[in-house]
Amino acid sequence: MAKNNFSSKLNNVTLKDIANELQLSVSTVSRALKSHPRIGKATQEKVKRTAVRLGYLSIDLLEEQKKKNSTLIGVIVPKISYYLYAMAISGIERVAEANGMHIIVCQSNESYKREKSLVEELSAIGVNGIIASLASETKEFHHFKKAKKSGIPVVFFNRECNDVVANKVTIDNERAALEAVNHLITIGCKRIAYLGGPKVLQINRDRAKGYKKALLNNNLEIIDDDLVYSNFDKESILSAARKLLFSPIHPDGILAFSDQIAISVMLVAKERGIEIPKKLSIIGFNNEPVGELINPSLTSISQPGFRMGEEAAQLLINELKKPSILFEKKILNSFLVIRNSTNKNKI
């Protein structure tokens, strides 16, 4: 991770020493030294006086740093290799650069422990704000609440949560899933399954809700065994797909949480000898480029990853310029890209 030269030390005194002296958090001390608007003037002055007294800053260096503003935005994503996040990072970077800021990109690798550690590290080096998409293991959100409490704005995108009051950018996952299942019903599917990701993810629950609503709206039975969940590792996904497709009566339509999961379903269908789309139609999420290249090509829900990143970054910039207790949830449009995995006329 890139280091912020703001944390240079004089006489071996550290930010932690100042924090201990004043019984404040390290991130609060860091931001107070940079005159961040989220930190009260009285606290800023108290921190700066203590920094000079302890020898962390000389008077000259303090004056020099007063003229500088931190220009760092921390970005935390589950995995940089996921297509949606690669696009979102590009969108975040475009807006950040247009506003004279830089980004530090970190990946949680779907780990709650690592995500928590990254939030703490980014806070400690004094980033102006954090843009995050949650790890699939995250069930508790105190680390984000703590960052906000210390004056660091947080914006969630794609994977968000209701537990933290913050700006958010997402799509209408319930509606997207409903439209996808409606498409499967339109082409004649009678027994449709949902192969989701980890249950803990809010977007996963929203997509499952849309799936159920579409079945109810069309007078189709919701069969508990047709809702199967998996983690994001290969073995978990293949096991979930086999549970669906090796059952005595397998579904004739499947909505998958992601394109990667949908592709694993295709592999298991081939293993089972089930023809796609003649005997099984499949829809994924994310509209990754690989979906056009596989055979049959994959029908998928396209999400505006680049714009999602742009909107998240702009919300953060706006909050930095004009702090507010009011927060916004931006819901972007998604749409279904129909390809051969659901086109029964092209077999």
Side-chain angles (χ1 to χ4, degrees):
M1 181 181 292
K3 291 185 178 180
N4 187 336
N5 58 15
F6 185 82
S7 59
S8 59
K9 305 171 188 176
L10 297 178
N11 302 326
N12 296 319
V13 177
T14 68
L15 289 175
K16 189 172 183 180
D17 294 326
I18 303 170
N20 289 340
E21 177 84 5
L22 298 172
Q23 295 187 333
L24 297 171
S25 69
V26 172
S27 58
T28 297
V29 169
S30 175
R31 295 174 79 79
L33 287 171
K34 289 177 285 184
S35 305
H36 193 278
R38 287 266 181 167
I39 306 299
K41 294 293 184 183
T43 301
Q44 289 181 27
E45 290 306 313
K46 182 167 62 175
V47 169
K48 291 169 185 176
R49 285 197 304 270
T50 303
V52 172
R53 175 169 57 80
L54 294 180
Y56 180 82
L57 295 178
S58 68
I59 296 295
D60 290 342
L61 186 56
L62 178 59
E63 290 305 314
E64 179 184 336
Q65 289 185 342
K66 278 184 177 180
K67 298 175 184 177
K68 297 180 180 179
N69 291 315
S70 175
T71 60
L72 294 176
I73 296 173
V75 180
I76 304 174
V77 297
K79 283 192 177 180
I80 296 172
S81 60
Y82 293 166
Y83 176 69
L84 183 139
Y85 294 120
M87 295 302 295
I89 288 167
S90 295
I92 293 169
E93 188 171 43
R94 192 200 72 77
V95 173
E97 288 186 351
N99 286 273
M101 304 191 78
H102 305 282
I103 65 173
I104 301 175
V105 180
C106 315
Q107 55 182 353
S108 65
N109 290 321
E110 302 287 7
S111 163
Y112 162 73
K113 185 176 179 181
R114 178 164 173 78
E115 177 186 274
K116 181 174 180 290
S117 175
L118 288 170
V119 171
E120 291 170 350
E121 289 178 32
L122 290 169
S123 298
I125 66 172
V127 295
N128 276 63
I130 294 173
I131 299 173
S133 189
L134 296 171
S136 60
E137 292 181 359
T138 301
K139 301 177 184 178
E140 191 278 328
F141 310 98
H142 179 70
H143 47 305
F144 289 111
K145 293 177 182 177
K146 185 178 178 182
K148 281 176 58 63
K149 190 174 180 181
S150 69
I152 301 173
V154 175
V155 176
F156 293 106
F157 74 101
N158 191 41
R159 299 183 192 173
E160 40 104 6
C161 65
N162 291 329
D163 296 67
V164 182
V165 178
N167 287 309
K168 300 166 186 177
V169 184
T170 185
I171 64 166
D172 188 335
N173 284 283
E174 181 181 331
R175 180 184 172 190
L178 184 147
E179 290 178 350
V181 175
N182 281 342
H183 172 64
L184 291 172
I185 293 169
T186 299
I187 63 173
C189 295
K190 301 296 184 184
R191 181 169 178 176
I192 301 166
Y194 174 63
L195 204 171
K199 284 186 178 181
V200 67
L201 289 175
Q202 185 172 310
I203 60 171
N204 188 56
R205 297 194 297 270
D206 290 342
R207 291 173 185 179
K209 188 176 179 181
Y211 156 82
K212 292 177 183 178
K213 185 178 287 187
L215 294 184
L216 290 173
N217 289 348
N218 289 276
N219 298 313
L220 293 178
E221 182 183 2
I222 297 174
I223 301 171
D224 289 341
D225 288 345
D226 288 346
L227 277 90
V228 179
Y229 301 93
S230 71
N231 295 323
F232 291 134
D233 60 282
K234 185 177 179 181
E235 286 308 311
S236 177
I237 296 169
L238 290 174
S239 175
R242 289 182 181 121
K243 183 177 180 181
L244 286 173
L245 297 184
F246 278 79
S247 59
I249 303 176
H250 66 75
D252 58 359
I254 293 179
L255 171 62
F257 177 84
S258 69
D259 286 355
Q260 293 301 320
I261 291 178
I263 290 169
S264 292
V265 172
M266 287 180 158
L267 293 175
V268 173
K270 184 177 180 181
E271 181 184 311
R272 180 75 166 83
I274 300 171
E275 292 181 72
I276 303 171
K278 185 176 181 181
K279 298 294 183 182
L280 175 67
S281 294
I282 303 172
I283 299 177
F285 260 88
N286 295 344
N287 193 29
E288 299 193 13
V290 68
E292 291 186 277
L293 305 177
I294 58 177
N295 186 25
S297 55
L298 179 63
T299 295
S300 184
I301 295 157
S302 182
Q303 300 185 83
F306 185 85
R307 188 172 165 224
M308 200 175 280
E310 287 185 311
E311 294 287 354
Q314 193 58 59
L315 284 172
L316 181 62
I317 297 294
N318 293 347
E319 190 174 354
L320 288 170
K321 289 180 177 178
K322 189 176 180 181
S324 172
I325 59 171
L326 301 176
F327 298 97
E328 184 176 357
K329 181 173 180 177
K330 287 203 169 187
I331 299 176
L332 306 182
N333 292 328
S334 62
F335 58 92
L336 190 65
V337 179
I338 298 173
R339 299 194 181 98
N340 290 345
S341 69
T342 62
N343 191 343
K344 294 190 177 185
N345 293 321
K346 290 189 178 181
I347 300 173

PDB file of all heavy atoms in Angstrom, residues 279-297:
ATOM      1  N   LYS A 279     -32.674 -27.816 -23.028  1.00  0.00           N
ATOM      2  CA  LYS A 279     -33.170 -28.414 -21.790  1.00  0.00           C
ATOM      3  C   LYS A 279     -32.927 -27.534 -20.561  1.00  0.00           C
ATOM      4  O   LYS A 279     -33.492 -27.777 -19.496  1.00  0.00           O
ATOM      5  CB  LYS A 279     -32.504 -29.773 -21.559  1.00  0.00           C
ATOM      6  CG  LYS A 279     -32.788 -30.799 -22.645  1.00  0.00           C
ATOM      7  CD  LYS A 279     -34.260 -31.171 -22.667  1.00  0.00           C
ATOM      8  CE  LYS A 279     -34.537 -32.270 -23.712  1.00  0.00           C
ATOM      9  NZ  LYS A 279     -35.979 -32.620 -23.771  1.00  0.00           N
ATOM     10  N   LEU A 280     -32.090 -26.526 -20.722  1.00  0.00           N
ATOM     11  CA  LEU A 280     -31.771 -25.644 -19.594  1.00  0.00           C
ATOM     12  C   LEU A 280     -31.361 -24.269 -20.116  1.00  0.00           C
ATOM     13  O   LEU A 280     -30.442 -24.158 -20.934  1.00  0.00           O
ATOM     14  CB  LEU A 280     -30.618 -26.228 -18.763  1.00  0.00           C
ATOM     15  CG  LEU A 280     -30.092 -25.350 -17.625  1.00  0.00           C
ATOM     16  CD1 LEU A 280     -31.150 -25.184 -16.530  1.00  0.00           C
ATOM     17  CD2 LEU A 280     -28.816 -25.940 -17.030  1.00  0.00           C
ATOM     18  N   SER A 281     -32.051 -23.241 -19.649  1.00  0.00           N
ATOM     19  CA  SER A 281     -31.693 -21.858 -20.004  1.00  0.00           C
ATOM     20  C   SER A 281     -31.053 -21.188 -18.791  1.00  0.00           C
ATOM     21  O   SER A 281     -31.492 -21.403 -17.651  1.00  0.00           O
ATOM     22  CB  SER A 281     -32.937 -21.084 -20.439  1.00  0.00           C
ATOM     23  OG  SER A 281     -33.456 -21.619 -21.639  1.00  0.00           O
ATOM     24  N   ILE A 282     -30.027 -20.378 -19.038  1.00  0.00           N
ATOM     25  CA  ILE A 282     -29.234 -19.809 -17.936  1.00  0.00           C
ATOM     26  C   ILE A 282     -29.052 -18.310 -18.134  1.00  0.00           C
ATOM     27  O   ILE A 282     -28.785 -17.845 -19.250  1.00  0.00           O
ATOM     28  CB  ILE A 282     -27.854 -20.479 -17.845  1.00  0.00           C
ATOM     29  CG1 ILE A 282     -28.005 -21.992 -17.662  1.00  0.00           C
ATOM     30  CG2 ILE A 282     -27.031 -19.892 -16.692  1.00  0.00           C
ATOM     31  CD1 ILE A 282     -26.691 -22.746 -17.765  1.00  0.00           C
ATOM     32  N   ILE A 283     -29.156 -17.557 -17.019  1.00  0.00           N
ATOM     33  CA  ILE A 283     -28.888 -16.110 -17.010  1.00  0.00           C
ATOM     34  C   ILE A 283     -27.909 -15.795 -15.889  1.00  0.00           C
ATOM     35  O   ILE A 283     -28.032 -16.316 -14.776  1.00  0.00           O
ATOM     36  CB  ILE A 283     -30.180 -15.291 -16.806  1.00  0.00           C
ATOM     37  CG1 ILE A 283     -31.168 -15.550 -17.947  1.00  0.00           C
ATOM     38  CG2 ILE A 283     -29.871 -13.795 -16.695  1.00  0.00           C
ATOM     39  CD1 ILE A 283     -32.502 -14.830 -17.782  1.00  0.00           C
ATOM     40  N   GLY A 284     -26.947 -14.929 -16.178  1.00  0.00           N
ATOM     41  CA  GLY A 284     -25.989 -14.488 -15.161  1.00  0.00           C
ATOM     42  C   GLY A 284     -26.152 -13.003 -14.863  1.00  0.00           C
ATOM     43  O   GLY A 284     -27.043 -12.333 -15.379  1.00  0.00           O
ATOM     44  N   PHE A 285     -25.276 -12.501 -14.010  1.00  0.00           N
ATOM     45  CA  PHE A 285     -25.213 -11.076 -13.668  1.00  0.00           C
ATOM     46  C   PHE A 285     -23.818 -10.554 -14.002  1.00  0.00           C
ATOM     47  O   PHE A 285     -22.827 -11.256 -13.803  1.00  0.00           O
ATOM     48  CB  PHE A 285     -25.442 -10.874 -12.159  1.00  0.00           C
ATOM     49  CG  PHE A 285     -26.826 -10.455 -11.762  1.00  0.00           C
ATOM     50  CD1 PHE A 285     -27.797 -11.403 -11.505  1.00  0.00           C
ATOM     51  CD2 PHE A 285     -27.159  -9.108 -11.636  1.00  0.00           C
ATOM     52  CE1 PHE A 285     -29.074 -11.038 -11.112  1.00  0.00           C
ATOM     53  CE2 PHE A 285     -28.440  -8.726 -11.245  1.00  0.00           C
ATOM     54  CZ  PHE A 285     -29.397  -9.693 -10.980  1.00  0.00           C
ATOM     55  N   ASN A 286     -23.732  -9.337 -14.445  1.00  0.00           N
ATOM     56  CA  ASN A 286     -22.498  -8.542 -14.656  1.00  0.00           C
ATOM     57  C   ASN A 286     -22.144  -8.324 -16.113  1.00  0.00           C
ATOM     58  O   ASN A 286     -21.407  -7.398 -16.432  1.00  0.00           O
ATOM     59  CB  ASN A 286     -21.259  -9.119 -13.942  1.00  0.00           C
ATOM     60  CG  ASN A 286     -21.383  -9.091 -12.446  1.00  0.00           C
ATOM     61  OD1 ASN A 286     -22.238  -8.385 -11.905  1.00  0.00           O
ATOM     62  ND2 ASN A 286     -20.541  -9.858 -11.772  1.00  0.00           N
ATOM     63  N   ASN A 287     -22.628  -9.192 -17.018  1.00  0.00           N
ATOM     64  CA  ASN A 287     -22.339  -9.045 -18.447  1.00  0.00           C
ATOM     65  C   ASN A 287     -20.835  -8.906 -18.702  1.00  0.00           C
ATOM     66  O   ASN A 287     -20.372  -7.950 -19.322  1.00  0.00           O
ATOM     67  CB  ASN A 287     -23.085  -7.839 -19.033  1.00  0.00           C
ATOM     68  CG  ASN A 287     -23.074  -7.828 -20.554  1.00  0.00           C
ATOM     69  OD1 ASN A 287     -23.021  -8.882 -21.179  1.00  0.00           O
ATOM     70  ND2 ASN A 287     -23.095  -6.644 -21.138  1.00  0.00           N
ATOM     71  N   GLU A 288     -20.077  -9.882 -18.218  1.00  0.00           N
ATOM     72  CA  GLU A 288     -18.631  -9.876 -18.426  1.00  0.00           C
ATOM     73  C   GLU A 288     -18.306 -10.209 -19.879  1.00  0.00           C
ATOM     74  O   GLU A 288     -19.046 -10.950 -20.533  1.00  0.00           O
ATOM     75  CB  GLU A 288     -17.962 -10.871 -17.479  1.00  0.00           C
ATOM     76  CG  GLU A 288     -18.202 -10.538 -16.014  1.00  0.00           C
ATOM     77  CD  GLU A 288     -17.298 -11.309 -15.093  1.00  0.00           C
ATOM     78  OE1 GLU A 288     -16.327 -11.924 -15.575  1.00  0.00           O
ATOM     79  OE2 GLU A 288     -17.547 -11.306 -13.872  1.00  0.00           O
ATOM     80  N   PRO A 289     -17.204  -9.683 -20.416  1.00  0.00           N
ATOM     81  CA  PRO A 289     -16.847  -9.918 -21.824  1.00  0.00           C
ATOM     82  C   PRO A 289     -16.782 -11.394 -22.211  1.00  0.00           C
ATOM     83  O   PRO A 289     -17.106 -11.760 -23.340  1.00  0.00           O
ATOM     84  CB  PRO A 289     -15.479  -9.247 -21.944  1.00  0.00           C
ATOM     85  CG  PRO A 289     -15.495  -8.164 -20.915  1.00  0.00           C
ATOM     86  CD  PRO A 289     -16.284  -8.739 -19.762  1.00  0.00           C
ATOM     87  N   VAL A 290     -16.388 -12.259 -21.266  1.00  0.00           N
ATOM     88  CA  VAL A 290     -16.273 -13.684 -21.574  1.00  0.00           C
ATOM     89  C   VAL A 290     -17.612 -14.288 -21.962  1.00  0.00           C
ATOM     90  O   VAL A 290     -17.673 -15.286 -22.686  1.00  0.00           O
ATOM     91  CB  VAL A 290     -15.675 -14.443 -20.357  1.00  0.00           C
ATOM     92  CG1 VAL A 290     -16.654 -14.463 -19.182  1.00  0.00           C
ATOM     93  CG2 VAL A 290     -15.272 -15.857 -20.733  1.00  0.00           C
ATOM     94  N   GLY A 291     -18.708 -13.652 -21.532  1.00  0.00           N
ATOM     95  CA  GLY A 291     -20.033 -14.166 -21.836  1.00  0.00           C
ATOM     96  C   GLY A 291     -20.326 -14.244 -23.316  1.00  0.00           C
ATOM     97  O   GLY A 291     -21.119 -15.085 -23.765  1.00  0.00           O
ATOM     98  N   GLU A 292     -19.713 -13.353 -24.101  1.00  0.00           N
ATOM     99  CA  GLU A 292     -19.910 -13.364 -25.558  1.00  0.00           C
ATOM    100  C   GLU A 292     -19.083 -14.436 -26.245  1.00  0.00           C
ATOM    101  O   GLU A 292     -19.384 -14.842 -27.361  1.00  0.00           O
ATOM    102  CB  GLU A 292     -19.529 -12.001 -26.141  1.00  0.00           C
ATOM    103  CG  GLU A 292     -20.463 -10.869 -25.766  1.00  0.00           C
ATOM    104  CD  GLU A 292     -20.097  -9.588 -26.495  1.00  0.00           C
ATOM    105  OE1 GLU A 292     -19.196  -8.869 -26.019  1.00  0.00           O
ATOM    106  OE2 GLU A 292     -20.698  -9.328 -27.559  1.00  0.00           O
ATOM    107  N   LEU A 293     -18.039 -14.897 -25.573  1.00  0.00           N
ATOM    108  CA  LEU A 293     -17.068 -15.786 -26.214  1.00  0.00           C
ATOM    109  C   LEU A 293     -17.360 -17.259 -26.004  1.00  0.00           C
ATOM    110  O   LEU A 293     -16.922 -18.099 -26.801  1.00  0.00           O
ATOM    111  CB  LEU A 293     -15.661 -15.470 -25.685  1.00  0.00           C
ATOM    112  CG  LEU A 293     -15.207 -14.003 -25.835  1.00  0.00           C
ATOM    113  CD1 LEU A 293     -13.831 -13.814 -25.210  1.00  0.00           C
ATOM    114  CD2 LEU A 293     -15.208 -13.582 -27.299  1.00  0.00           C
ATOM    115  N   ILE A 294     -18.065 -17.595 -24.924  1.00  0.00           N
ATOM    116  CA  ILE A 294     -18.334 -19.004 -24.650  1.00  0.00           C
ATOM    117  C   ILE A 294     -19.457 -19.512 -25.546  1.00  0.00           C
ATOM    118  O   ILE A 294     -20.170 -18.740 -26.178  1.00  0.00           O
ATOM    119  CB  ILE A 294     -18.685 -19.210 -23.167  1.00  0.00           C
ATOM    120  CG1 ILE A 294     -19.907 -18.363 -22.771  1.00  0.00           C
ATOM    121  CG2 ILE A 294     -17.506 -18.882 -22.271  1.00  0.00           C
ATOM    122  CD1 ILE A 294     -20.353 -18.574 -21.341  1.00  0.00           C
ATOM    123  N   ASN A 295     -19.606 -20.844 -25.591  1.00  0.00           N
ATOM    124  CA  ASN A 295     -20.630 -21.454 -26.441  1.00  0.00           C
ATOM    125  C   ASN A 295     -21.498 -22.388 -25.600  1.00  0.00           C
ATOM    126  O   ASN A 295     -20.994 -23.356 -25.050  1.00  0.00           O
ATOM    127  CB  ASN A 295     -19.961 -22.226 -27.570  1.00  0.00           C
ATOM    128  CG  ASN A 295     -20.969 -22.759 -28.575  1.00  0.00           C
ATOM    129  OD1 ASN A 295     -22.062 -22.218 -28.721  1.00  0.00           O
ATOM    130  ND2 ASN A 295     -20.612 -23.849 -29.234  1.00  0.00           N
ATOM    131  N   PRO A 296     -22.800 -22.085 -25.505  1.00  0.00           N
ATOM    132  CA  PRO A 296     -23.492 -20.928 -26.088  1.00  0.00           C
ATOM    133  C   PRO A 296     -23.158 -19.642 -25.328  1.00  0.00           C
ATOM    134  O   PRO A 296     -22.796 -19.697 -24.146  1.00  0.00           O
ATOM    135  CB  PRO A 296     -24.966 -21.293 -25.917  1.00  0.00           C
ATOM    136  CG  PRO A 296     -24.993 -22.169 -24.699  1.00  0.00           C
ATOM    137  CD  PRO A 296     -23.728 -22.960 -24.749  1.00  0.00           C
ATOM    138  N   SER A 297     -23.293 -18.537 -26.025  1.00  0.00           N
ATOM    139  CA  SER A 297     -23.045 -17.240 -25.381  1.00  0.00           C
ATOM    140  C   SER A 297     -24.058 -17.022 -24.256  1.00  0.00           C
ATOM    141  O   SER A 297     -25.184 -17.526 -24.304  1.00  0.00           O
ATOM    142  CB  SER A 297     -23.127 -16.109 -26.409  1.00  0.00           C
ATOM    143  OG  SER A 297     -24.367 -16.138 -27.092  1.00  0.00           O
TER     144      SER A 297
END
